[in-house]
Amino acid sequence: MPPGGGGPMKDCEYSQISTHSSSPMESPHKKKKIAARRKWEVFPGRNKFFCNGRIMMARQTGVFYLTLILILVTSGLFFAFDCPYLAVNITPAIPVVGGILFFFVMGTLLRTSFSDPGVLPRATPDEAADLERQIDIANGTSSGGYRPPPRTKEVTINGQTVKLKYCFTCKIFRPPRASHCSLCDNCVERFDHHCPWVGNCVGKRNYRFFYMFILSLSFLTVFIFAFVITHVILRSQQTGFLNALKDSPASVLEAVVCFFSVWSIVGLSGFHTYLISSNQTTNEDIKGSWSNKRGKENYNPYSYGNIFTNCCVALCGPISPSLIDRRGYIQPDTPQPAAPSNGITMYGATQSQSDMCDQDQCIQSTKFVLQAAATPLLQSEPSLTSEELHMPGKPGLGTPCASLTLGQPTPPSSMPNLATEATLSDIMPLKDEHGGHQFLTPDEAPSPPRMLGAGSPLAHSRTMHMLGLASQDSLHEDSVRGLVKLSSV
Amino acid sequence: MATEVHNLQELRRSASLATKVFIQRDYSDGTICQFQTKFPPELDSRIERQLFEETVKTLNGFYAEAEKIGGSSYLEGCLACATAYFIFLCTETHYEKVLKKISRYIQEQNEKVFAPRGLLLTDPVERGMRVIEIAIYEDRCSSGSSSSGSSSGSGSSSAGGGGAGAR
């Protein structure tokens, strides 16, 4: 393989070759071009993020907007049409109390919808590998061919035996009371339920906000309903019933909305009050995990014994901070001398490195690029590999695949050069992209199939990156630097 | 060719990551955050049992303090509720304060106790409070045997160690 390939390189200007060992930190200009990404951008679950990661919601938010509109419209009509009459004829405290309730409802609704319910971050590949090893040891070596039995761990909590299930998506043993939400594709601590009305899961971190929301909403609904009725009655005493309805048609709408919502919301509040006082989640109640019907010995090990303590803990207990660090920057992998090892990697040697993952990514991406140059079969591969991965559901993966496919119909004579150059230039951005896909697979997993699957989206994104940057001088500079290092070795 | 490269990598590196040990959560007291104090066999030759247990017990104590249910936590909760939880925009919770204490403690322990023994603790909060990750580094000095050992052993990346080291 000719070093560098003369053709495309000749067209670019070189800046001075620096012979000191280059690390990702020492190329600031390159860093600027690759914007530091925040962790929410590569979050593997099916969530939507707003305001640069400050707001987190489920994917389907249509019903949330409906909730918002219903509350805003009904309250708005109440304040606009009923309150003036009531403030004058009864007391001005009515709009004040109404305002306070409305403010509380909106605050708690937004808090419930926008906050992290207690999502458990997925296991790092190291952890997953370690767990797999332990499970294999526990189960004995399983012969391939049949599906291994579902993985569970038993633990005794306050005298009650609880089964911890292994989550295949998140690759962790779920803590007690945690559950995997299929809509959001996340494991959530103390999972209660997924509420489409608030557009989010309800879990450990936002349960109290949810409860306060439905409680205050029940009060608000009852409040509005009561005073709308009062308003209509007072008016009809003066002008007759039909005239009263004609004078304030908004009251009719409000009364209808409130009448239908009061049953469900008050009912829901009552149900959740029961759940809080017995320290259960909706999930546990529906499954009947702690009901007496399962057996006389079955009791709720999490309950504190009395209703008051249970309520206090649920509503006023400490709130744990979010574990997913949405707004944190994706950390670069361990800085290391980039050029020499990369130059060596080009030859496909699988030697040890302190950063094995990048090396394997190099290998994978190298293989992919070379394959892309050599075979047209790769056209079908991107779609396969992006499908089989359930972790990063980001649409961004589609674009690398597309660009990979697009990158193929280049004249064959330049392809080897492109491949070689791409290999070198591909390796450089690997280091500088801060191991950009920490949530994807920054760490290598020992088993090859996983590695392949994990490596490929990275390869695609790298290749896309490569295709985008291939014309930039700094890349060539580093490629040449790599070559110089290689020759010096 | 491959062997030459091995030695080259060895020379360039200051320490190679051999393996990682994960201390799992202990759920016997419920859902509160506690870690198992069972001494992992991989650390047998690296650190004294008592030091390790003391570290884990101190961490457990910190987490228990963070999640303590009592007068002050109720007060904080009620105040937060009264302000429609807007107070969280201004101040940080008791839990967050204790987490900061924990990360300072872990850093201190790494500097004083673990790093001299070739180990590195990762703050559990970076692993979703699931595990305490202890990275075991091979000695730099031992060349021949360790290079082959570490080449097969360093199947895991040093991302955790690097992240911790970057702090």
Side-chain angles (χ1 to χ4, degrees):
Chain A
M1 215 181 306
M9 286 238 186
K10 275 184 201 158
D11 301 328
C12 307
E13 287 173 43
Y14 295 126
S15 43
Q16 168 122 22
I17 295 168
S18 61
T19 49
H20 66 272
S21 76
S22 69
S23 69
M25 304 304 151
E26 288 171 351
S27 47
H29 56 279
K30 190 171 288 185
K31 258 195 134 167
K32 265 188 253 164
K33 282 164 189 163
I34 305 160
R37 299 176 76 196
R38 295 199 192 248
K39 289 182 187 169
W40 66 265
E41 297 181 57
V42 295
F43 186 69
R46 277 202 289 266
N47 287 94
K48 278 204 278 200
F49 295 90
F50 303 103
C51 289
N52 204 4
R54 289 182 180 90
I55 290 173
M56 173 177 180
M57 295 182 76
R59 185 163 281 196
Q60 305 292 338
T61 51
V63 189
F64 166 70
Y65 293 122
L66 176 68
T67 310
L68 212 54
I69 287 169
L70 276 174
I71 295 174
L72 286 172
V73 166
T74 312
S75 308
L77 288 174
F78 177 72
F79 289 121
F81 293 99
D82 296 274
C83 279
Y85 183 90
L86 291 164
V88 165
N89 289 31
I90 305 181
T91 166
I94 292 173
V96 172
V97 173
I100 292 171
L101 271 176
F102 173 73
F103 174 71
F104 202 77
V105 165
M106 289 309 294
T108 47
L109 170 64
L110 296 178
R111 264 272 166 193
T112 312
S113 304
F114 294 164
S115 60
D116 171 15
V119 173
L120 288 168
R122 299 194 183 185
T124 57
D126 286 331
E127 277 179 66
D130 188 64
L131 274 178
E132 294 265 341
R133 217 176 34 238
Q134 284 177 17
I135 291 166
D136 284 339
I137 293 168
N139 291 346
T141 48
S142 59
S143 61
Y146 69 89
R147 196 173 185 277
R151 303 156 168 186
T152 54
K153 224 173 15 175
E154 289 212 347
V155 78
T156 313
I157 299 175
N158 286 339
Q160 186 81 268
T161 313
V162 176
K163 268 207 179 124
L164 304 184
K165 286 195 190 153
Y166 181 79
C167 181
F168 284 94
T169 313
C170 305
K171 298 201 172 29
I172 56 169
F173 274 102
R174 283 184 215 128
R177 313 191 93 177
S179 188
H180 190 93
C181 175
S182 49
L183 288 161
C184 301
D185 204 24
N186 291 318
C187 272
V188 179
E189 276 188 286
R190 203 189 180 278
F191 180 73
D192 196 82
H193 66 285
H194 181 99
C195 185
W197 299 95
V198 302
N200 205 356
C201 288
V202 177
K204 182 168 107 167
R205 294 188 74 249
N206 65 353
Y207 185 59
R208 69 192 66 194
F209 307 134
F210 175 74
Y211 180 73
M212 287 282 117
F213 166 62
I214 55 174
L215 196 65
S216 52
L217 187 63
S218 352
F219 284 128
L220 182 69
T221 319
V222 169
F223 184 85
I224 291 180
F225 190 62
F227 284 106
V228 159
I229 300 290
T230 310
H231 176 211
V232 170
I233 289 173
L234 286 177
R235 264 197 201 257
S236 50
Q237 279 174 351
Q238 291 168 0
T239 60
F241 184 66
L242 286 171
N243 283 338
L245 290 182
K246 247 196 316 182
D247 287 337
S248 95
S251 306
V252 179
L253 178 66
E254 290 164 49
V256 165
V257 169
C258 289
F259 179 77
F260 286 112
S261 15
V262 84
W263 303 111
S264 47
I265 293 172
V266 171
L268 196 62
S269 306
F271 175 60
H272 278 280
T273 309
Y274 158 71
L275 288 181
I276 283 184
S277 57
S278 61
N279 202 333
Q280 287 185 81
T281 63
T282 307
N283 208 23
E284 287 165 355
D285 186 71
I286 286 175
K287 284 190 203 160
S289 310
W290 313 122
S291 86
N292 290 329
K293 293 179 197 149
R294 283 214 181 185
K296 277 192 204 157
E297 298 302 316
N298 209 24
Y299 60 91
N300 185 0
Y302 311 109
S303 172
Y304 290 87
N306 70 74
I307 292 174
F308 182 68
T309 317
N310 284 341
C311 290
C312 285
V313 170
L315 301 176
C316 304
I319 297 186
S320 54
S322 175
L323 294 172
I324 54 176
D325 189 26
R326 314 188 281 280
R327 287 176 44 82
Y329 286 103
I330 296 166
Q331 292 297 323
D333 287 329
T334 317
Q336 54 178 322
S341 47
N342 290 332
I344 293 161
T345 309
M346 194 179 76
Y347 293 105
T350 53
Q351 61 281 20
S352 60
Q353 266 190 2
S354 56
D355 199 3
M356 194 69 163
C357 68
D358 269 350
Q359 187 212 348
D360 283 316
Q361 291 161 13
C362 293
I363 295 171
Q364 291 302 325
S365 51
T366 313
K367 277 189 195 159
F368 266 93
V369 168
L370 293 174
Q371 279 172 15
T375 59
L377 285 172
L378 195 63
Q379 267 173 341
S380 57
E381 273 195 285
S383 52
L384 280 172
T385 44
S386 55
E387 270 165 25
E388 81 195 21
L389 273 177
H390 46 246
M391 265 208 306
K394 290 278 171 239
L397 275 175
T399 29
C401 301
S403 58
L404 183 66
T405 328
L406 283 170
Q408 283 180 15
T410 45
S413 55
S414 64
M415 271 315 273
N417 289 335
L418 183 67
T420 321
E421 181 199 309
T423 313
L424 284 171
S425 53
D426 193 21
I427 291 155
M428 293 320 296
L430 269 173
K431 296 293 173 230
D432 296 56
E433 271 194 40
H434 312 287
H437 307 270
Q438 187 129 355
F439 272 91
L440 295 177
T441 41
D443 306 327
E444 184 231 14
S447 63
R450 220 176 301 152
M451 192 167 70
L452 183 69
S456 44
L458 281 155
H460 292 142
S461 51
R462 303 287 187 233
T463 319
M464 176 193 84
H465 187 75
M466 171 273 291
L467 288 170
L469 287 182
S471 56
Q472 297 191 11
D473 296 345
S474 54
L475 217 51
H476 291 293
E477 175 195 68
D478 285 313
S479 313
V480 175
R481 201 183 295 154
L483 286 169
V484 171
K485 282 281 175 187
L486 186 63
S487 54
S488 67
V489 160
Chain B
M1 176 68 172
T3 334
E4 286 169 9
V5 166
H6 273 227
N7 292 333
L8 192 68
Q9 295 309 310
E10 275 301 308
L11 288 172
R12 289 183 193 276
R13 255 171 301 143
S14 55
S16 69
L17 181 68
T19 185
K20 286 183 181 177
V21 180
F22 296 97
I23 314 294
Q24 299 286 341
R25 282 271 292 271
D26 175 19
Y27 292 116
S28 55
D29 278 332
T31 50
I32 57 170
C33 186
Q34 299 281 289
F35 290 96
Q36 293 176 355
T37 50
K38 187 171 78 85
F39 190 70
E42 293 91 341
L43 294 179
D44 213 0
S45 54
R46 305 300 290 244
I47 190 170
E48 296 83 15
R49 185 180 286 256
Q50 190 229 346
L51 275 173
F52 168 81
E53 279 178 8
E54 191 188 305
T55 307
V56 178
K57 282 194 179 129
T58 315
L59 283 175
N60 284 344
F62 276 128
Y63 286 117
E65 184 198 327
E67 297 182 10
K68 191 168 75 89
I69 306 154
S72 59
S73 73
Y74 286 155
L75 196 64
E76 190 187 33
C78 289
L79 186 68
C81 181
T83 61
Y85 302 102
F86 279 98
I87 201 167
F88 289 150
L89 298 168
C90 315
T91 62
E92 59 175 21
T93 66
H94 173 67
Y95 207 114
E96 283 166 352
K97 286 184 193 141
V98 178
L99 282 181
K100 284 197 176 151
K101 253 204 298 188
I102 288 171
S103 80
R104 274 199 303 271
Y105 172 75
I106 287 180
Q107 203 172 0
E108 184 197 308
Q109 286 291 100
N110 271 336
E111 283 166 15
K112 290 187 191 159
V113 179
F114 288 92
R117 291 168 172 78
L119 303 171
L120 199 67
L121 238 58
T122 304
D123 197 337
V125 85
E126 290 174 27
R127 295 288 177 265
M129 306 283 254
R130 282 189 305 267
V131 286
I132 303 176
E133 186 181 294
I134 304 179
I136 302 176
Y137 288 90
E138 284 289 344
D139 289 334
R140 184 181 170 208
C141 308
S142 53
S143 52
S145 55
S146 81
S147 67
S148 50
S150 57
S151 65
S152 55
S154 45
S156 43
S157 129
S158 56
R167 255 184 283 129

